[in-house]
Coordinates of all heavy atoms in Angstrom, one line a residue:
K14 N 2.7 -11.0 -33.2 CA 1.4 -11.7 -33.3 C 0.4 -10.7 -33.9 O 0.3 -9.6 -33.4 CB 1.0 -12.3 -32.0 CG 0.0 -11.5 -31.2 CD -0.2 -12.1 -29.8 CE -0.9 -11.0 -29.0 NZ -1.2 -11.4 -27.7
M15 N -0.3 -11.1 -34.9 CA -1.3 -10.2 -35.5 C -2.7 -10.4 -34.9 O -3.1 -11.5 -34.6 CB -1.5 -10.5 -37.0 CG -0.4 -9.9 -37.9 SD -0.3 -8.2 -37.8 CE -1.5 -7.7 -39.0
S16 N -3.3 -9.3 -34.6 CA -4.7 -9.4 -34.0 C -5.8 -9.5 -35.0 O -5.6 -9.1 -36.2 CB -4.9 -8.2 -33.1 OG -4.9 -7.0 -33.9
E17 N -6.9 -9.9 -34.6 CA -8.0 -10.0 -35.5 C -8.5 -8.6 -35.9 O -9.3 -8.5 -36.9 CB -9.2 -10.8 -35.0 CG -9.8 -10.3 -33.7 CD -9.0 -10.8 -32.4 OE1 -7.9 -11.4 -32.6 OE2 -9.5 -10.5 -31.3
V18 N -8.1 -7.6 -35.2 CA -8.5 -6.2 -35.5 C -8.0 -5.9 -36.9 O -8.7 -5.1 -37.6 CB -7.8 -5.3 -34.4 CG1 -8.1 -3.8 -34.8 CG2 -8.4 -5.6 -33.1
S19 N -6.8 -6.4 -37.3 CA -6.2 -6.0 -38.6 C -7.2 -6.2 -39.8 O -7.2 -5.4 -40.7 CB -4.9 -6.7 -38.8 OG -4.1 -6.4 -37.7
E20 N -7.9 -7.3 -39.8 CA -8.8 -7.6 -40.9 C -10.0 -6.6 -40.9 O -10.5 -6.3 -41.9 CB -9.3 -9.0 -40.8 CG -8.3 -10.1 -41.0 CD -7.9 -10.8 -39.7 OE1 -8.8 -11.4 -39.1 OE2 -6.8 -10.6 -39.3
V21 N -10.4 -6.2 -39.7 CA -11.6 -5.4 -39.6 C -11.3 -4.0 -40.1 O -12.1 -3.3 -40.7 CB -12.0 -5.2 -38.1 CG1 -13.2 -4.3 -37.9 CG2 -12.3 -6.6 -37.5
V22 N -10.0 -3.5 -40.0 CA -9.6 -2.2 -40.4 C -9.8 -1.9 -41.9 O -10.1 -0.7 -42.2 CB -8.2 -1.9 -40.0 CG1 -7.7 -0.6 -40.4 CG2 -8.0 -2.1 -38.5
T23 N -9.8 -2.9 -42.7 CA -9.9 -2.6 -44.1 C -11.2 -2.0 -44.5 O -11.3 -1.2 -45.5 CB -9.6 -3.9 -44.9 OG1 -10.5 -4.9 -44.4 CG2 -8.2 -4.4 -44.8
K24 N -12.3 -2.3 -43.8 CA -13.5 -1.7 -44.1 C -13.5 -0.3 -43.6 O -13.1 0.0 -42.4 CB -14.7 -2.5 -43.5 CG -14.7 -3.9 -43.9 CD -15.8 -4.7 -43.2 CE -15.7 -6.2 -43.4 NZ -14.5 -6.7 -42.7
A25 N -14.0 0.7 -44.4 CA -13.9 2.1 -44.0 C -14.8 2.5 -42.8 O -15.9 2.1 -42.8 CB -14.2 3.0 -45.2
D26 N -14.2 3.2 -41.9 CA -14.9 3.8 -40.8 C -15.9 2.9 -40.0 O -17.1 3.1 -40.0 CB -15.6 5.1 -41.3 CG -15.7 6.1 -40.1 OD1 -14.8 6.1 -39.3 OD2 -16.6 6.9 -40.1
I27 N -15.4 1.9 -39.4 CA -16.2 0.9 -38.7 C -16.5 1.5 -37.3 O -15.7 2.1 -36.7 CB -15.5 -0.4 -38.5 CG1 -14.7 -0.8 -39.8 CG2 -16.4 -1.5 -38.1 CD1 -13.3 -1.0 -39.6
K28 N -17.8 1.3 -36.9 CA -18.2 1.7 -35.6 C -18.5 0.5 -34.7 O -19.0 -0.5 -35.3 CB -19.4 2.6 -35.6 CG -19.2 3.9 -36.4 CD -18.6 4.9 -35.5 CE -18.5 6.3 -36.2 NZ -17.2 6.5 -36.9
P29 N -18.1 0.5 -33.5 CA -18.4 -0.7 -32.6 C -19.9 -0.8 -32.4 O -20.6 0.1 -32.4 CB -17.7 -0.4 -31.3 CG -17.4 1.0 -31.3 CD -17.4 1.5 -32.7
K30 N -20.3 -2.1 -32.2 CA -21.8 -2.4 -31.9 C -22.1 -2.2 -30.5 O -23.2 -1.7 -30.1 CB -22.1 -3.8 -32.3 CG -22.0 -4.1 -33.8 CD -22.5 -5.6 -34.1 CE -22.3 -6.0 -35.5 NZ -20.9 -6.2 -35.9
S31 N -21.1 -2.5 -29.6 CA -21.4 -2.3 -28.2 C -20.0 -2.1 -27.4 O -19.0 -2.3 -28.0 CB -22.1 -3.5 -27.6 OG -21.3 -4.7 -27.7
M32 N -20.1 -1.8 -26.2 CA -19.0 -1.6 -25.3 C -19.2 -2.2 -24.0 O -20.3 -2.1 -23.5 CB -18.7 -0.1 -25.2 CG -17.4 0.2 -24.4 SD -17.6 0.3 -22.7 CE -18.5 1.8 -22.5
H33 N -18.2 -2.8 -23.4 CA -18.3 -3.2 -22.0 C -16.9 -2.9 -21.3 O -16.0 -2.7 -22.0 CB -18.7 -4.7 -21.8 CG -17.8 -5.7 -22.4 ND1 -17.8 -6.0 -23.7 CD2 -16.7 -6.3 -21.8 CE1 -16.8 -6.9 -23.9 NE2 -16.1 -7.1 -22.8
R34 N -16.9 -3.0 -20.0 CA -15.6 -2.7 -19.3 C -14.9 -4.0 -19.0 O -15.5 -5.0 -18.8 CB -15.9 -2.0 -18.0 CG -16.7 -0.7 -18.2 CD -15.9 0.5 -17.6 NE -16.6 1.7 -17.9 CZ -15.9 2.8 -18.3 NH1 -14.6 2.8 -18.5 NH2 -16.6 3.9 -18.6
A35 N -13.6 -3.9 -19.1 CA -12.8 -5.1 -18.8 C -12.9 -5.4 -17.3 O -13.1 -4.6 -16.4 CB -11.3 -4.8 -19.1
K36 N -12.9 -6.7 -17.0 CA -13.0 -7.2 -15.6 C -11.7 -7.8 -15.1 O -11.4 -7.6 -14.0 CB -14.1 -8.2 -15.5 CG -15.5 -7.6 -15.7 CD -16.6 -8.6 -15.6 CE -18.0 -8.0 -15.8 NZ -18.1 -7.3 -17.0
I37 N -11.0 -8.4 -16.0 CA -9.7 -9.0 -15.6 C -8.6 -8.6 -16.6 O -8.9 -8.3 -17.8 CB -9.7 -10.5 -15.5 CG1 -10.2 -11.2 -16.8 CG2 -10.5 -11.0 -14.3 CD1 -9.9 -12.6 -16.9
W38 N -7.4 -8.5 -16.2 CA -6.3 -8.0 -17.0 C -6.0 -9.2 -18.0 O -6.0 -10.3 -17.7 CB -5.0 -7.7 -16.2 CG -3.9 -7.2 -17.0 CD1 -3.7 -5.9 -17.4 CD2 -2.9 -8.0 -17.7 NE1 -2.6 -5.8 -18.2 CE2 -2.1 -7.1 -18.4 CE3 -2.6 -9.3 -17.8 CZ2 -1.0 -7.5 -19.1 CZ3 -1.5 -9.7 -18.5 CH2 -0.7 -8.8 -19.2
S39 N -5.6 -8.8 -19.3 CA -5.1 -9.7 -20.3 C -4.3 -8.9 -21.2 O -4.2 -7.7 -21.1 CB -6.3 -10.3 -21.1 OG -6.9 -9.3 -21.9
D40 N -3.6 -9.6 -22.1 CA -2.8 -8.9 -23.1 C -3.6 -7.9 -23.9 O -3.2 -6.8 -24.2 CB -2.1 -9.9 -24.1 CG -1.0 -10.7 -23.4 OD1 -0.8 -10.5 -22.2 OD2 -0.4 -11.5 -24.1
D41 N -4.8 -8.3 -24.3 CA -5.7 -7.4 -25.1 C -6.1 -6.2 -24.3 O -6.1 -5.1 -24.8 CB -6.9 -8.2 -25.6 CG -6.6 -9.2 -26.6 OD1 -5.6 -9.1 -27.3 OD2 -7.4 -10.2 -26.8
V42 N -6.4 -6.4 -23.0 CA -6.8 -5.3 -22.2 C -5.6 -4.3 -22.0 O -5.8 -3.1 -22.0 CB -7.3 -5.8 -20.8 CG1 -7.4 -4.7 -19.8 CG2 -8.6 -6.5 -20.9
E43 N -4.4 -4.9 -21.9 CA -3.2 -4.0 -21.8 C -3.1 -3.1 -23.0 O -2.9 -1.9 -22.9 CB -2.0 -4.9 -21.7 CG -0.7 -4.2 -21.6 CD -0.5 -3.3 -20.3 OE1 -0.9 -3.8 -19.3 OE2 0.0 -2.2 -20.5
N44 N -3.3 -3.7 -24.2 CA -3.1 -2.9 -25.4 C -4.3 -1.9 -25.5 O -4.0 -0.7 -25.9 CB -3.0 -3.8 -26.6 CG -1.6 -4.3 -26.8 OD1 -0.6 -3.6 -26.4 ND2 -1.5 -5.4 -27.5
L45 N -5.5 -2.3 -25.2 CA -6.6 -1.3 -25.2 C -6.3 -0.1 -24.2 O -6.6 1.0 -24.6 CB -7.9 -2.0 -24.8 CG -8.6 -2.8 -25.9 CD1 -9.7 -3.7 -25.3 CD2 -9.1 -2.0 -27.0
Y46 N -5.8 -0.4 -23.1 CA -5.4 0.6 -22.1 C -4.4 1.6 -22.7 O -4.6 2.8 -22.6 CB -4.8 -0.1 -20.9 CG -4.2 0.8 -19.8 CD1 -5.0 1.5 -18.9 CD2 -2.8 1.0 -19.7 CE1 -4.5 2.3 -18.0 CE2 -2.3 1.8 -18.8 CZ -3.1 2.5 -17.9 OH -2.6 3.3 -16.9
R47 N -3.5 1.1 -23.5 CA -2.5 2.0 -24.1 C -3.1 2.8 -25.2 O -2.8 4.0 -25.3 CB -1.3 1.1 -24.7 CG -0.6 0.4 -23.5 CD 0.5 -0.6 -24.0 NE 1.1 -1.2 -22.9 CZ 2.4 -1.6 -22.8 NH1 3.2 -1.3 -23.8 NH2 2.8 -2.2 -21.7
F48 N -4.0 2.2 -26.0 CA -4.7 3.0 -27.0 C -5.5 4.1 -26.4 O -5.6 5.3 -26.8 CB -5.6 2.2 -27.9 CG -4.8 1.4 -29.0 CD1 -4.6 0.1 -28.9 CD2 -4.2 2.1 -30.0 CE1 -3.9 -0.6 -29.8 CE2 -3.4 1.4 -31.0 CZ -3.3 0.0 -30.9
Q49 N -6.3 3.8 -25.3 CA -7.2 4.7 -24.7 C -6.4 5.8 -23.9 O -6.8 7.0 -23.9 CB -8.1 4.0 -23.8 CG -9.2 3.2 -24.6 CD -10.0 2.1 -23.9 OE1 -10.1 2.2 -22.7 NE2 -10.5 1.2 -24.7
Q50 N -5.2 5.5 -23.4 CA -4.4 6.5 -22.8 C -4.0 7.6 -23.9 O -3.9 8.7 -23.6 CB -3.1 5.9 -22.2 CG -3.1 5.6 -20.8 CD -1.7 5.4 -20.2 OE1 -0.9 4.8 -20.9 NE2 -1.5 5.8 -19.0
A51 N -3.7 7.1 -25.1 CA -3.3 8.0 -26.1 C -4.4 8.7 -26.8 O -4.3 9.5 -27.7 CB -2.5 7.2 -27.2
G52 N -5.7 8.4 -26.4 CA -6.8 9.1 -26.9 C -7.6 8.5 -28.0 O -8.4 9.1 -28.7
Y53 N -7.4 7.2 -28.1 CA -8.2 6.4 -29.1 C -9.0 5.3 -28.5 O -8.7 4.9 -27.4 CB -7.2 5.7 -30.1 CG -6.3 6.8 -30.8 CD1 -5.1 7.1 -30.3 CD2 -6.8 7.4 -32.0 CE1 -4.3 8.0 -30.9 CE2 -6.0 8.4 -32.6 CZ -4.8 8.7 -32.1 OH -4.0 9.6 -32.7
R54 N -10.1 4.9 -29.2 CA -10.9 3.9 -28.7 C -10.2 2.6 -28.6 O -10.2 1.8 -27.6 CB -12.1 3.8 -29.7 CG -13.3 3.0 -29.2 CD -14.4 3.1 -30.2 NE -14.0 2.8 -31.6 CZ -14.4 3.4 -32.7 NH1 -15.2 4.4 -32.6 NH2 -13.9 3.0 -33.9
D55 N -9.5 2.2 -29.7 CA -8.8 1.0 -29.9 C -7.9 1.0 -31.1 O -7.8 2.0 -31.8 CB -9.8 -0.2 -29.9 CG -10.9 0.0 -31.0 OD1 -10.6 0.8 -31.9 OD2 -11.9 -0.7 -30.9
E56 N -7.4 -0.1 -31.5 CA -6.5 -0.2 -32.6 C -7.2 0.1 -33.9 O -6.6 0.8 -34.8 CB -5.9 -1.7 -32.7 CG -4.9 -1.8 -33.8 CD -4.3 -3.3 -33.8 OE1 -4.5 -4.0 -32.9 OE2 -3.6 -3.6 -34.8
V57 N -8.4 -0.2 -34.1 CA -9.2 0.1 -35.3 C -9.2 1.6 -35.5 O -8.9 2.1 -36.5 CB -10.7 -0.5 -35.2 CG1 -11.5 0.0 -36.4 CG2 -10.6 -2.0 -35.1
E58 N -9.6 2.3 -34.4 CA -9.7 3.8 -34.6 C -8.4 4.4 -34.8 O -8.2 5.3 -35.6 CB -10.4 4.4 -33.3 CG -10.6 5.9 -33.5 CD -11.2 6.6 -32.3 OE1 -10.7 6.4 -31.2 OE2 -12.2 7.4 -32.5
Y59 N -7.4 3.9 -34.1 CA -6.0 4.5 -34.3 C -5.6 4.3 -35.8 O -5.1 5.3 -36.4 CB -5.0 3.7 -33.4 CG -3.6 4.2 -33.5 CD1 -3.2 5.4 -32.9 CD2 -2.6 3.6 -34.2 CE1 -1.9 5.9 -33.0 CE2 -1.3 4.1 -34.4 CZ -1.0 5.2 -33.7 OH 0.3 5.7 -33.8
K60 N -5.8 3.2 -36.3 CA -5.4 2.9 -37.7 C -6.2 3.8 -38.7 O -5.6 4.3 -39.7 CB -5.5 1.5 -38.1 CG -4.4 0.6 -37.4 CD -4.6 -0.8 -37.8 CE -3.5 -1.7 -37.3 NZ -3.6 -3.1 -37.6
Q61 N -7.4 4.0 -38.4 CA -8.3 4.9 -39.3 C -7.8 6.3 -39.2 O -7.6 7.0 -40.2 CB -9.7 4.8 -38.8 CG -10.4 3.5 -39.2 CD -11.8 3.4 -38.6 OE1 -12.2 4.2 -37.7 NE2 -12.5 2.4 -39.0
V62 N -7.6 6.8 -38.0 CA -7.2 8.2 -37.8 C -5.8 8.5 -38.3 O -5.5 9.5 -39.0 CB -7.3 8.6 -36.3 CG1 -6.7 10.0 -36.1 CG2 -8.7 8.6 -35.8
K63 N -4.8 7.6 -38.0 CA -3.4 7.9 -38.3 C -3.1 7.3 -39.7 O -2.0 7.5 -40.2 CB -2.5 7.3 -37.2 CG -2.5 8.1 -36.0 CD -2.0 9.5 -36.2 CE -2.3 10.4 -35.1 NZ -2.0 11.8 -35.5
K64 N -4.0 6.6 -40.3 CA -3.8 6.0 -41.6 C -2.5 5.2 -41.7 O -1.7 5.3 -42.6 CB -3.8 7.1 -42.7 CG -5.1 7.9 -42.6 CD -5.6 8.3 -44.0 CE -6.8 9.2 -43.9 NZ -7.7 9.0 -42.9
V65 N -2.4 4.3 -40.7 CA -1.2 3.3 -40.7 C -1.7 1.9 -40.8 O -2.9 1.6 -40.5 CB -0.4 3.5 -39.4 CG1 0.3 4.9 -39.3 CG2 -1.2 3.3 -38.1
D66 N -0.8 1.0 -41.3 CA -1.2 -0.4 -41.5 C -0.9 -1.2 -40.2 O -1.6 -2.1 -39.9 CB -0.5 -1.0 -42.7 CG -1.0 -0.4 -44.0 OD1 -2.2 0.0 -44.0 OD2 -0.2 -0.3 -44.9
K67 N 0.2 -0.8 -39.5 CA 0.5 -1.6 -38.3 C 1.0 -0.7 -37.2 O 1.5 0.4 -37.5 CB 1.4 -2.8 -38.6 CG 2.8 -2.4 -39.2 CD 3.5 -3.6 -39.8 CE 4.3 -4.4 -38.9 NZ 5.6 -3.9 -38.4
V68 N 0.8 -1.2 -36.0 CA 1.2 -0.5 -34.8 C 2.5 -1.1 -34.3 O 2.7 -2.3 -34.4 CB 0.1 -0.6 -33.8 CG1 0.5 0.1 -32.5 CG2 -1.2 -0.1 -34.3
E69 N 3.4 -0.2 -33.9 CA 4.7 -0.7 -33.4 C 4.5 -1.4 -32.0 O 4.0 -0.8 -31.1 CB 5.7 0.4 -33.3 CG 7.1 0.1 -33.5 CD 8.0 1.3 -33.5 OE1 7.7 2.3 -34.1 OE2 9.0 1.2 -32.8
C70 N 4.9 -2.7 -32.0 CA 4.8 -3.5 -30.8 C 6.1 -4.1 -30.3 O 7.0 -4.2 -31.1 CB 3.8 -4.6 -31.0 SG 2.1 -4.1 -31.3
W71 N 6.2 -4.4 -29.0 CA 7.4 -5.0 -28.5 C 7.4 -6.5 -28.9 O 6.4 -7.2 -28.7 CB 7.4 -5.0 -26.9 CG 7.6 -3.6 -26.4 CD1 6.7 -2.8 -25.8 CD2 8.9 -3.0 -26.3 NE1 7.3 -1.6 -25.4 CE2 8.6 -1.7 -25.7 CE3 10.2 -3.3 -26.7 CZ2 9.6 -0.8 -25.5 CZ3 11.2 -2.3 -26.5 CH2 10.9 -1.1 -25.9
P72 N 8.5 -7.0 -29.5 CA 8.5 -8.4 -30.0 C 8.3 -9.4 -28.9 O 7.7 -10.4 -29.1 CB 9.8 -8.5 -30.8 CG 10.6 -7.3 -30.4 CD 9.7 -6.3 -29.9
E73 N 8.8 -9.1 -27.7 CA 8.8 -10.1 -26.6 C 7.4 -10.3 -26.1 O 7.0 -11.4 -25.8 CB 9.7 -9.7 -25.5 CG 11.1 -9.2 -25.8 CD 11.2 -7.8 -26.2 OE1 10.7 -6.9 -25.5 OE2 11.7 -7.5 -27.3
T74 N 6.7 -9.2 -25.9 CA 5.4 -9.3 -25.3 C 4.2 -9.1 -26.2 O 3.1 -9.5 -25.9 CB 5.3 -8.2 -24.2 OG1 5.5 -6.9 -24.8 CG2 6.3 -8.4 -23.1
G75 N 4.4 -8.4 -27.3 CA 3.3 -8.1 -28.2 C 2.5 -6.9 -27.8 O 1.6 -6.5 -28.4
F76 N 3.0 -6.2 -26.7 CA 2.3 -5.0 -26.3 C 2.7 -3.8 -27.2 O 3.8 -3.8 -27.7 CB 2.7 -4.6 -24.8 CG 2.3 -5.6 -23.8 CD1 3.0 -5.8 -22.6 CD2 1.2 -6.4 -24.0 CE1 2.7 -6.7 -21.7 CE2 0.8 -7.4 -23.0 CZ 1.5 -7.5 -21.9
V77 N 1.8 -2.9 -27.3 CA 2.0 -1.6 -28.1 C 3.3 -0.9 -27.5 O 3.4 -0.7 -26.3 CB 0.8 -0.7 -28.0 CG1 1.1 0.6 -28.7 CG2 -0.4 -1.4 -28.7
K78 N 4.1 -0.5 -28.4 CA 5.4 0.1 -28.0 C 5.3 1.7 -28.1 O 5.8 2.4 -27.2 CB 6.5 -0.4 -28.9 CG 7.9 0.1 -28.6 CD 8.9 -0.5 -29.6 CE 10.3 -0.2 -29.3 NZ 11.2 -0.9 -30.2
K79 N 4.7 2.2 -29.2 CA 4.7 3.6 -29.4 C 3.4 4.0 -30.1 O 3.0 3.3 -31.0 CB 5.9 4.0 -30.3 CG 6.0 5.4 -30.7 CD 7.2 5.7 -31.5 CE 7.0 5.4 -33.0 NZ 8.1 5.7 -33.8
L80 N 2.7 5.1 -29.7 CA 1.5 5.6 -30.3 C 1.7 7.1 -30.5 O 2.2 7.8 -29.7 CB 0.3 5.3 -29.5 CG -0.1 3.8 -29.3 CD1 -1.3 3.7 -28.3 CD2 -0.5 3.2 -30.7
Q81 N 1.1 7.5 -31.6 CA 1.1 9.0 -31.9 C -0.3 9.5 -31.5 O -1.3 9.0 -32.0 CB 1.4 9.2 -33.4 CG 1.6 10.7 -33.7 CD 2.0 10.9 -35.1 OE1 1.9 10.0 -36.0 NE2 2.5 12.1 -35.4
R82 N -0.3 10.5 -30.6 CA -1.6 11.1 -30.3 C -2.1 12.0 -31.4 O -1.5 12.2 -32.4 CB -1.4 11.9 -29.0 CG -1.1 11.1 -27.8 CD -1.0 11.9 -26.5 NE -1.2 13.3 -26.7 CZ -1.0 14.2 -25.7 NH1 -0.8 13.8 -24.5 NH2 -1.2 15.5 -25.9
R83 N -3.4 12.4 -31.2 CA -4.0 13.3 -32.2 C -3.3 14.6 -32.4 O -3.3 15.2 -33.5 CB -5.5 13.5 -31.9 CG -6.3 12.3 -32.0 CD -7.7 12.4 -31.5 NE -8.4 11.2 -31.3 CZ -9.2 10.6 -32.1 NH1 -9.4 11.2 -33.3 NH2 -9.7 9.5 -31.9
D84 N -2.6 15.0 -31.3 CA -1.8 16.3 -31.5 C -0.4 16.1 -31.9 O 0.4 16.9 -31.9 CB -1.9 17.1 -30.1 CG -1.2 16.3 -29.0 OD1 -0.6 15.2 -29.3 OD2 -1.2 16.8 -27.9
N85 N -0.2 14.8 -32.4 CA 1.1 14.4 -33.0 C 2.3 14.3 -32.0 O 3.4 14.0 -32.4 CB 1.5 15.3 -34.2 CG 0.6 15.2 -35.3 OD1 0.0 14.1 -35.5 ND2 0.3 16.2 -36.1
T86 N 2.0 14.3 -30.7 CA 3.1 14.0 -29.8 C 3.0 12.4 -29.6 O 2.0 11.8 -29.9 CB 2.8 14.6 -28.4 OG1 1.6 14.3 -27.9 CG2 3.0 16.1 -28.5
F87 N 4.1 11.9 -29.1 CA 4.2 10.4 -29.0 C 4.1 9.9 -27.6 O 4.6 10.6 -26.7 CB 5.5 9.9 -29.7 CG 5.5 9.9 -31.2 CD1 5.9 11.0 -31.9 CD2 5.0 8.8 -31.9 CE1 5.9 11.1 -33.2 CE2 5.0 8.8 -33.3 CZ 5.4 9.9 -33.9
Y88 N 3.5 8.8 -27.4 CA 3.5 8.1 -26.2 C 4.4 6.8 -26.4 O 4.2 6.1 -27.4 CB 2.1 7.6 -25.8 CG 1.2 8.5 -25.0 CD1 -0.1 8.2 -24.7 CD2 1.7 9.7 -24.5 CE1 -0.9 9.1 -24.0 CE2 0.9 10.6 -23.8 CZ -0.4 10.3 -23.5 OH -1.1 11.1 -22.8
Y89 N 5.3 6.6 -25.4 CA 6.2 5.5 -25.5 C 5.8 4.6 -24.3 O 5.7 5.1 -23.2 CB 7.6 5.9 -25.4 CG 8.0 6.7 -26.7 CD1 7.9 8.0 -26.7 CD2 8.5 6.0 -27.8 CE1 8.3 8.8 -27.8 CE2 8.9 6.8 -28.9 CZ 8.7 8.1 -28.9 OH 9.1 8.8 -30.0
Y90 N 5.7 3.3 -24.5 CA 5.3 2.3 -23.5 C 6.4 1.3 -23.2 O 7.2 1.0 -24.1 CB 4.0 1.6 -23.9 CG 2.9 2.6 -24.1 CD1 2.5 3.0 -25.3 CD2 2.2 3.0 -23.0 CE1 1.5 3.9 -25.5 CE2 1.1 3.9 -23.2 CZ 0.7 4.3 -24.4 OH -0.3 5.2 -24.6
N91 N 6.4 0.8 -22.0 CA 7.4 -0.2 -21.6 C 7.0 -1.6 -22.1 O 5.9 -1.8 -22.6 CB 7.4 -0.3 -20.0 CG 7.9 0.9 -19.4 OD1 8.8 1.6 -19.9 ND2 7.3 1.3 -18.3
R92 N 8.0 -2.5 -22.1 CA 7.8 -3.9 -22.5 C 6.8 -4.6 -21.5 O 6.0 -5.4 -21.9 CB 9.1 -4.7 -22.4 CG 10.1 -4.4 -23.5 CD 11.3 -5.3 -23.3 NE 12.2 -5.1 -24.4 CZ 13.1 -4.1 -24.4 NH1 13.1 -3.1 -23.5 NH2 13.9 -4.0 -25.5
Q93 N 6.9 -4.2 -20.2 CA 6.1 -4.9 -19.2 C 4.7 -4.2 -19.1 O 4.4 -3.2 -19.7 CB 6.8 -4.7 -17.8 CG 8.1 -5.4 -17.7 CD 9.2 -4.5 -18.2 OE1 9.1 -3.3 -18.2 NE2 10.4 -5.0 -18.5
R94 N 3.9 -4.9 -18.4 CA 2.5 -4.5 -18.1 C 2.5 -3.1 -17.5 O 3.3 -2.8 -16.6 CB 1.9 -5.5 -17.2 CG 0.5 -5.1 -16.6 CD 0.0 -6.1 -15.7 NE -1.2 -5.7 -15.1 CZ -2.0 -6.4 -14.3 NH1 -1.7 -7.7 -14.1 NH2 -3.1 -5.9 -13.8
E95 N 1.6 -2.2 -18.0 CA 1.5 -0.9 -17.4 C 0.1 -0.7 -16.8 O -0.1 0.2 -16.0 CB 1.7 0.2 -18.5 CG 3.2 0.3 -18.9 CD 3.5 1.5 -19.7 OE1 2.7 2.5 -19.8 OE2 4.6 1.5 -20.3
C96 N -0.9 -1.4 -17.3 CA -2.2 -1.3 -16.8 C -2.3 -2.0 -15.4 O -2.3 -3.2 -15.4 CB -3.2 -1.9 -17.8 SG -4.9 -1.8 -17.2
E97 N -2.4 -1.3 -14.4 CA -2.5 -1.9 -13.0 C -3.9 -2.4 -12.8 O -4.8 -2.0 -13.4 CB -2.1 -0.8 -12.0 CG -0.6 -0.4 -12.1 CD -0.3 0.7 -11.1 OE1 -0.8 0.7 -10.0 OE2 0.5 1.6 -11.4
D98 N -4.0 -3.3 -11.8 CA -5.2 -3.9 -11.4 C -6.3 -2.9 -11.2 O -7.5 -3.0 -11.6 CB -5.1 -4.8 -10.2 CG -4.5 -6.2 -10.6 OD1 -4.5 -6.5 -11.8 OD2 -3.9 -6.8 -9.7
K99 N -5.9 -1.8 -10.5 CA -6.9 -0.7 -10.2 C -7.4 0.0 -11.4 O -8.5 0.6 -11.4 CB -6.3 0.3 -9.2 CG -5.2 1.1 -9.8 CD -4.7 2.1 -8.7 CE -3.4 2.9 -9.2 NZ -3.6 3.7 -10.4
D100 N -6.7 -0.1 -12.6 CA -7.1 0.6 -13.8 C -7.9 -0.4 -14.8 O -8.4 0.1 -15.8 CB -5.9 1.1 -14.5 CG -5.2 2.2 -13.7 OD1 -6.0 3.0 -13.0 OD2 -4.0 2.3 -13.7
V101 N -7.9 -1.7 -14.5 CA -8.5 -2.6 -15.5 C -9.9 -2.3 -15.7 O -10.4 -2.3 -16.9 CB -8.3 -4.1 -14.9 CG1 -9.2 -5.0 -15.7 CG2 -6.9 -4.5 -15.0
R102 N -10.7 -1.9 -14.7 CA -12.1 -1.7 -14.9 C -12.4 -0.4 -15.7 O -13.5 -0.1 -16.1 CB -12.8 -1.6 -13.6 CG -13.0 -3.0 -13.0 CD -13.9 -3.1 -11.8 NE -14.3 -4.5 -11.5 CZ -15.3 -5.1 -12.1 NH1 -16.0 -4.6 -13.1 NH2 -15.6 -6.4 -11.8
K103 N -11.4 0.5 -15.8 CA -11.5 1.7 -16.6 C -11.4 1.4 -18.1 O -11.8 2.3 -18.9 CB -10.4 2.7 -16.2 CG -10.5 3.2 -14.8 CD -9.4 4.1 -14.5 CE -9.3 4.5 -13.0 NZ -8.1 5.1 -12.7
V104 N -10.9 0.3 -18.5 CA -10.6 0.0 -19.9 C -11.9 -0.4 -20.6 O -12.7 -1.3 -20.1 CB -9.6 -1.2 -20.0 CG1 -9.4 -1.5 -21.5 CG2 -8.3 -0.7 -19.4
K105 N -12.2 0.2 -21.7 CA -13.4 0.0 -22.4 C -13.1 -1.1 -23.5 O -12.2 -0.9 -24.3 CB -14.0 1.2 -23.1 CG -14.4 2.3 -22.0 CD -14.8 3.6 -22.7 CE -15.1 4.6 -21.6 NZ -15.3 5.9 -22.2
V106 N -13.9 -2.1 -23.6 CA -13.7 -3.2 -24.6 C -14.8 -3.0 -25.6 O -16.0 -3.1 -25.3 CB -13.7 -4.6 -24.0 CG1 -13.5 -5.6 -25.0 CG2 -12.7 -4.7 -22.9
Y107 N -14.5 -2.8 -26.9 CA -15.5 -2.5 -27.9 C -15.7 -3.8 -28.7 O -14.8 -4.6 -29.0 CB -15.0 -1.4 -28.8 CG -15.0 -0.1 -28.1 CD1 -13.9 0.4 -27.5 CD2 -16.2 0.7 -28.0 CE1 -13.9 1.6 -26.8 CE2 -16.2 1.9 -27.3 CZ -15.0 2.3 -26.7 OH -15.0 3.5 -26.0
V108 N -17.0 -4.1 -29.0 CA -17.4 -5.2 -29.8 C -17.8 -4.8 -31.2 O -18.7 -3.9 -31.3 CB -18.5 -6.0 -29.1 CG1 -18.9 -7.2 -29.9 CG2 -18.1 -6.3 -27.6
Y109 N -17.3 -5.4 -32.2 CA -17.6 -5.0 -33.6 C -18.5 -6.0 -34.2 O -18.5 -7.2 -33.8 CB -16.3 -4.9 -34.4 CG -15.5 -3.7 -34.0 CD1 -14.6 -3.8 -33.0 CD2 -15.8 -2.5 -34.6 CE1 -13.9 -2.6 -32.6 CE2 -15.0 -1.3 -34.2 CZ -14.1 -1.4 -33.2 OH -13.4 -0.3 -32.8

């Protein structure tokens, strides 16, 4: 499944207008959690920094499968949910 983030990425160096914290878990919050664990704001920033067109995702769930950190080491993620309820409020949701 393609996210609406993909269309936003084409414009160079976009900055979010605002940020709020996630309140409940969702597929989007799960993926944001994974990007933020790897040291990125979200998919937009990851694609800008790493100059990639798409992020590798699990076909069954659509969750991010693998991310390259800024120091070029890789983070590998499970098919299942990794963001626990206690961590949901730590996730930053950016508005463009």
